[in-house]
Amino acid sequence: MNKHLIASLLFLLIFSGIYAQQTAVYTNNLSEYQKAMELYNNDQFLAAQPLFQKLERNASEQGLKGDCAYYAANCAVRLNQQGADAMMEAFFKQYPTSLKRNSAYLEVAEFYFENAKYSRAQKWYEKVEETGLSKGEMEKYNFNNGYANFKAKRYSEAQKYFNRVSNSNNYGAQAKYYLGFIAYENDEYDEANEYFEEVKDQERYGQDL
């Protein structure tokens, strides 16, 4: 048999074996990733986290590694683990081109906000790139960011964000109430009254007003 033909056949056999192994590993990684995501989506963060960490170590695909690093850090945030913020920062540093970067900032900020950790939420809201948000996300971002600043008594910053949603169907009444409160705190009583007049019929604010 021709030596060149033998060499070609050997190359094909070796290449086919390597390709089959890589395909098996890739398929197994995807299966493990789907299992981890199922646990994550069911709020089983303690069980999902080690699976994501194992996959990040073992996977060769950069996109998969980045996603696993993100979800492992997000599990740490949701489990209130010590060093969770540092894990998230490490994800951003190690995978700077990850498509999850901006959504990660927003998700972490919203998690802290929903758990009344407003100073930590505000820290992450500062990192969000507003141009990447949908209209609904933008309204929620503005109101939550305004409220986080309001709780920290950074009233000028709070006003900036509340003003952006003062005419919103979802957040307008709440924004005007807090804008009125800020005006009242600043001894701007006429302006405060204007805002309070606009929301006085809202049951949730009637007693406070």
Side-chain angles (χ1 to χ4, degrees):
M1 186 178 289
N2 188 292
K3 291 182 179 179
H4 292 295
L5 180 60
I6 293 173
S8 297
L9 288 171
L10 284 173
F11 173 78
L12 286 173
L13 285 170
I14 293 169
F15 178 79
S16 297
I18 294 172
Y19 179 76
Q21 288 176 345
Q22 289 177 336
T23 301
V25 169
Y26 180 73
T27 302
N28 183 62
N29 284 344
L30 283 182
S31 176
E32 289 293 305
Y33 180 73
Q34 289 169 354
K35 180 181 178 181
M37 283 301 305
E38 185 177 346
L39 290 168
Y40 178 89
N41 290 329
N42 286 317
D43 296 341
Q44 296 181 46
F45 305 118
L46 195 60
Q49 189 181 43
L51 292 181
F52 285 126
Q53 291 170 327
K54 179 184 175 183
L55 274 170
E56 185 195 359
R57 290 193 301 270
N58 296 338
S60 58
E61 304 82 15
Q62 196 69 2
L64 181 60
K65 288 174 74 71
D67 286 355
C68 289
Y70 162 70
Y71 283 114
N74 211 333
C75 286
V77 171
R78 294 171 187 278
L79 291 167
N80 199 30
Q81 293 176 341
Q82 188 174 4
D85 281 13
M87 284 182 66
M88 191 60 76
E89 292 285 7
F91 156 70
F92 295 130
K93 186 176 181 179
Q94 192 168 355
Y95 303 97
T97 60
S98 172
L99 296 176
K100 293 190 178 297
R101 188 180 184 86
N102 205 46
S103 60
Y105 290 143
L106 192 62
E107 285 183 27
V108 175
E110 288 181 353
F111 175 79
Y112 283 135
F113 184 90
E114 288 164 5
N115 287 277
K117 297 178 179 179
Y118 301 116
S119 61
R120 296 179 77 176
Q122 204 272 327
K123 165 194 166 184
W124 289 96
Y125 277 128
E126 284 182 350
K127 300 176 184 290
V128 173
E129 294 180 13
E130 298 178 20
T131 54
L133 304 181
S134 66
K135 182 181 177 181
E137 288 173 335
M138 190 68 182
E139 285 196 344
K140 187 175 183 180
Y141 160 82
N142 281 322
F143 179 79
N144 288 3
N145 207 353
Y147 188 79
N149 278 288
F150 174 83
K151 293 293 287 185
K153 299 186 184 300
R154 290 190 289 264
Y155 291 144
S156 60
E157 280 295 296
Q159 278 180 308
K160 179 177 74 175
Y161 292 107
F162 284 140
N163 278 324
R164 293 181 182 180
V165 289
S166 59
N167 294 316
S168 163
N169 290 330
N170 292 324
Y171 300 100
Q174 298 174 75
K176 287 174 182 175
Y177 173 78
Y178 291 113
L179 286 167
F181 185 94
I182 292 169
Y184 185 84
E185 286 290 295
N186 291 334
D187 297 330
E188 297 166 348
Y189 301 120
D190 289 339
E191 183 178 347
N193 283 331
E194 287 180 17
Y195 283 120
F196 290 149
E197 278 292 318
E198 292 189 57
V199 298
K200 68 179 182 180
D201 294 331
Q202 299 284 329
E203 185 177 346
R204 64 189 299 179
Y205 304 122
Q207 187 174 349
D208 289 342
L209 295 175

